[in-house]
Amino acid sequence: MALRLSKIWTFGKALYHMTMRLKEYTDQTITPQGWAEILNLKTPQAQAILNLKNSEEYKEPIVLSLSPHAPGGWWNDLDVNFNPATKILTVPNDVLAGSFSVDFNNFLETNPVGARVFFAPDLTSTGIYEAYVVKVIDANNVELDNDLSSILDTNIGGMILPGNLSTVNLAVYAIYKNIREITLIESNVYGECVEKKKTEFLNITKPPIGSYHSHWKKRIIWCRDGELVKFGKGDLAEFGTLTMWVARTPYEVDIDSPDEFLDARDEDMNIIFDMCLLTGLETLKIPIPENLKSTEAEINKLIQANEAQKAKLLTGKD
């Protein structure tokens, strides 16, 4: 986690400052927890109205730890079920644990969307039916793209092969809730990785390899899928070390860490303190004093302005 931006203001100093300013207008008080909540609300709002969302100061790198899809497994078990109406394949826990590789024991964790699924109608048949996983329902159920009704009355066996995809679960990183946008992912071997929308990513990585897919066989591609970032590397032998650059929201303050610096530039603290004071007065249902009404009006203009208007308001230039 990156250092917080302020070099002067800790939460303890900010708490004292805001408390003293409030006393200029009322004998009522706001608790330290209340001020922390107000500060945590107003700091990211100030980041937005001051045009700092894409500031380099709020960008930082994360070295990713890839979790490759496990190689899947083979089953021949009556407890495995396929419903042609819903196209849902159900594989019980004991089958996953007994017939699949040790890392492939939960569809939610492995998330094999795009995986090839092969069905053999019986142990003696040479016919093979192929489908693809299009959606993970839960830990034991996935949806396929083929109804496979012709093999329903047989003792089916099958195999799941996820292919050469890897995933990163962003939720395991401490910064996860502060990630506003992924701005770049780069490999130390192949350079910038190419971002794709989820549907396009699935089309590119879905076998069989066609002319569209072949265009990306020598590039690393990725897509954001909720908490997951999915990667495909085509025919490349490795991903190399992957570094993800994120634009983040400011880190929150904690009343139990009064000596921790605030995550805002010192030159922006005046407007943040003004915003906090106005919110504090509003919380206590105190009318805005006359000498603060112009400050309130300026802040409201910034909140409502578009990017070009904000620049003019902040610089005072036309």
Side-chain angles (χ1 to χ4, degrees), residues 5-9 261-262 264-270:
L5 298 187
S6 178
K7 298 178 177 63
I8 299 173
W9 290 99
F261 285 102
L262 303 183
R265 304 185 307 179
D266 290 320
E267 58 265 38
D268 299 325
M269 287 310 305
N270 283 339

Side-chain angles (χ1 to χ4, degrees), residues 206-221:
K206 178 180 177 180
I209 296 175
S211 58
Y212 184 60
H213 182 283
S214 64
H215 180 68
W216 301 102
K217 287 197 294 186
K218 301 299 181 183
R219 298 292 301 275
I220 296 174
I221 63 173

Side-chain angles (χ1 to χ4, degrees), residues 1 68 70 97 99 115 214 258 268 277 295 302:
M1 188 174 289
S99 303
S214 64
D268 299 325
L277 177 60
T295 300
L302 282 169

Side-chain angles (χ1 to χ4, degrees), residues 155-171:
N155 179 16
I156 63 170
M159 177 181 289
I160 295 179
L161 295 172
N164 62 345
L165 300 178
S166 289
T167 62
V168 170
N169 186 345
L170 296 178

